[in-house]
Amino acid sequence: MDARGLAPWLADRLPAGAVIIDPVQLATYACDGLAHYKVVPAVVVLPETAEQVATVVRACAEHGVPFVARGAGTGLSGGALPHADGVLVVLSRMRDVVEVDRANQRAVVQPGVVNLQLSALTRPDGYYFAPDPSSQQVCSVGGNVAENSGGAHCLKYGFTTGHVTGLQLVTPAGELVELGGKAPDLPGYDLLGAVVGSEGTLGVATRVTVRLTRTPEAVETLLAGFPDTDSAGRAVSAVISAGVVPAAIEMMDALAIEAAEAAVHCGYPAGAGAVLIVELDGPRPEVAHQFEQVKGMCEDAGAFEIRVAADDTERALIWKGRKSAFAAVGRISPDYIVQDGVIPRTRLAEALTRIEALAGERGVRVANVFHAGDGNLHPLVLFDDAVPGEAERAEEASGAIIDLCIELGGSITGEHGVGSDKAKYMPRMFGEDDLDTMQLVRCAFDPAGIANPGKIFPTPRLCGEVPRRRTASEGAHPLVEAGLADQF
């Protein structure tokens, strides 16, 4: 039975309106935040409970139908790109905060709970959820788990994996299991660590136990304007080298500033070739001491204007430009690619210079917004799809930037995940043995390969299959015949 054949059976077991097969409605789920790739799913389901998710997945497992889990659809690597012959499991109706356990600094939430909603709920009692991706106003905690999301403040507080202590998971066989709990660091194999960041290839999270972080006693935020990215980069190096660990240290170049000004009128220093946003938090005396250090380092590096947020309103205004930067680029370019790569922080100046050259060689522009403290770059490659050849040149520039990150000793992704977009780059970073070992882990959870197939790995394989070129006499690969992979 295929996915369409399953739809009536699922409709009998899910709430009214929870199974979608109408072509117009299905088309609205054709992509996630990376609109460059679009696939219309065969069926969309919107379960409301973990048991309903398990029912859907068990049915898929029984009939060999691929399924893809989707949170808020804000991912930027195509990690929630649907399968044309599969079921898209949309978790947006599962948005209950099950429990807030202040005594143990934990919260238990359903996967559709919005990231910022959790912090807003717990902040009055002095806690918040630390991972803060730019999309935190709309992205879901379940999506954060799938992609191991970071954010501006992960420099000090780390990625999502450091803030999840337990999961309720529907395995690819449709079993409902518990991994971890409220206690930290349970003995045995770290299955929880394997699942967080696995991009939906090892199962579907239906309940998440997260660690709540205490609201710091003091927060200080400054905005510094520099003539260029080189001088701003010197300030970053000085801060980190001095042993200061800011909660966040973010950089935007002139083109990114132009976009932010056009979109949200953030009022950044006029004429700046780059701005730094530096935020320090912690005990009040420590923050006060380090804040003066950071201001001095920015001035020594060439900052021509420094503003200090006097209160939360001014702090929000400073962050407004940075948080809106990705979407804001739409004001200065009809199309753009959001890239995500990592380099050693000490190679920052070299990387920016070479990115500018790579873009110039291909006749496209690149706006840079990034987490400067840990070298997580987010180059935005601008292009006009209506101009013949420009999209191809932008794609080429985007790939060259990833190659540059690898060459400089970095990574093909910092926080957006591999998804569909970067699967082809995995062999440039990992050898055959590395990829085979990763596949063995996936196969241990999902031997049939039905959970989010086609993501992360460049070449879908059967469990234990040795990579090789198939001969004509062998016919199509079994995964191609099963509709779980495409062969080009």
Side-chain angles (χ1 to χ4, degrees), residues 45-101:
V45 297
L46 296 105
E48 298 177 2
T49 67
E51 290 72 21
Q52 291 172 7
V53 175
T55 296
V56 172
V57 173
R58 271 197 303 272
C60 289
E62 182 179 348
H63 297 283
V65 172
F67 66 89
V68 176
R70 171 185 165 123
T74 57
L76 293 170
S77 64
L81 187 72
H83 192 289
D85 299 318
V87 175
L88 185 69
V89 184
V90 180
L91 301 163
S92 58
R93 290 185 178 178
M94 297 177 65
R95 53 175 59 193
D96 288 342
V97 176
V98 179
E99 179 188 6
V100 175
D101 182 352

Side-chain angles (χ1 to χ4, degrees), residues 297-372:
M297 292 169 190
C298 288
E299 290 167 348
D300 291 344
F304 62 83
E305 181 175 342
I306 294 178
R307 300 177 193 168
V308 179
D311 51 33
D312 287 345
T313 301
E314 290 190 10
R315 182 172 299 110
L317 183 60
I318 288 176
W319 277 109
K320 190 175 182 181
R322 169 59 186 90
K323 294 275 185 178
S324 66
F326 288 178
V329 169
R331 295 296 187 105
I332 61 171
S333 177
D335 302 286
Y336 59 94
I337 298 170
V338 180
Q339 194 48 279
D340 167 46
V342 177
I343 57 163
R345 181 179 42 75
T346 51
R347 311 291 295 271
L348 192 56
E350 177 185 0
L352 293 176
T353 299
R354 291 181 61 182
I355 287 173
E356 184 177 5
L358 290 170
E361 290 164 5
R362 291 158 179 83
V364 295
R365 297 182 299 165
V366 172
N368 287 291
V369 181
F370 50 96
H371 310 308

Side-chain angles (χ1 to χ4, degrees), residues 153-483:
H153 293 79
C154 67
L155 174 64
K156 181 174 181 177
Y157 293 101
F159 289 75
T160 298
T161 191
H163 300 271
V164 174
T165 61
L167 287 177
Q168 182 187 65
L169 185 79
V170 174
T171 70
E175 297 171 297
L176 204 53
V177 300
E178 298 283 346
L179 302 178
K182 290 183 179 178
D185 302 325
L186 295 181
Y189 292 117
D190 186 11
L191 298 178
L192 184 65
V195 171
V196 177
S198 62
E199 306 191 21
T201 60
L202 304 184
V204 183
T206 48
R207 194 173 61 212
V208 187
T209 302
V210 302
R211 188 192 312 274
L212 296 175
T213 301
R214 287 285 294 180
T215 305
E217 180 185 14
V219 180
E220 294 283 359
T221 307
L222 70 77
L223 172 72
F226 293 85
D228 49 48
T229 54
D230 284 350
S231 52
R234 285 197 298 273
V236 174
S237 294
V239 170
I240 302 297
S241 299
V244 177
V245 182
I249 182 165
E250 302 283 299
M251 191 189 299
M252 297 169 63
D253 70 5
L255 202 51
I257 296 168
E258 177 188 338
E261 292 290 353
V264 298
H265 312 294
C266 45
Y268 286 173
V275 294
L276 276 186
I277 299 172
V278 186
E279 190 159 280
L280 295 162
D281 65 13
R284 195 174 303 281
E286 177 183 306
V287 170
H289 172 68
Q290 292 187 335
F291 200 68
E292 290 305 314
Q293 284 184 287
V294 170
K295 283 174 62 179
M297 292 169 190
C298 288
E299 290 167 348
D300 291 344
F304 62 83
E305 181 175 342
I306 294 178
R307 300 177 193 168
V308 179
D311 51 33
D312 287 345
T313 301
E314 290 190 10
R315 182 172 299 110
L317 183 60
I318 288 176
W319 277 109
K320 190 175 182 181
R322 169 59 186 90
K323 294 275 185 178
S324 66
F326 288 178
V329 169
R331 295 296 187 105
I332 61 171
S333 177
D335 302 286
Y336 59 94
I337 298 170
V338 180
Q339 194 48 279
D340 167 46
V342 177
I343 57 163
R345 181 179 42 75
T346 51
R347 311 291 295 271
L348 192 56
E350 177 185 0
L352 293 176
T353 299
R354 291 181 61 182
I355 287 173
E356 184 177 5
L358 290 170
E361 290 164 5
R362 291 158 179 83
V364 295
R365 297 182 299 165
V366 172
N368 287 291
V369 181
F370 50 96
H371 310 308
D374 53 9
N376 186 185
L377 307 177
H378 292 310
L380 300 150
V381 184
L382 316 185
F383 66 99
D384 185 349
D385 200 27
V387 177
E390 199 159 296
E392 289 76 13
R393 294 201 303 277
E395 185 71 32
E396 188 180 324
S398 180
I401 290 171
I402 289 302
D403 286 337
L404 174 64
C405 290
I406 297 171
E407 178 193 329
L408 295 180
S411 166
I412 63 173
T413 178
E415 57 184 353
H416 294 176
V418 177
S420 302
D421 190 41
K422 293 185 176 174
K424 59 182 176 290
Y425 296 110
M426 289 287 275
R428 302 186 192 181
M429 191 165 175
F430 298 102
E432 286 284 352
D433 290 344
D434 299 323
L435 293 172
D436 285 348
T437 302
M438 293 182 202
Q439 286 275 21
L440 288 174
V441 175
R442 180 186 66 81
C443 289
F445 283 79
D446 181 24
I450 60 171
N452 209 8
K455 311 295 164 55
I456 301 179
F457 298 103
T459 309
R461 298 174 193 156
L462 297 170
C463 293
E465 180 184 4
V466 177
R468 62 186 174 82
R469 188 182 296 277
R470 293 181 69 81
T471 64
S473 62
E474 292 176 302
H477 190 283
L479 289 173
V480 175
E481 289 186 333

Side-chain angles (χ1 to χ4, degrees), residues 99-108 122 127 182 210 212:
E99 179 188 6
V100 175
D101 182 352
R102 293 170 180 82
N104 287 305
Q105 295 187 214
R106 298 288 187 271
V108 182
T122 54
Y127 297 97
K182 290 183 179 178
V210 302
L212 296 175

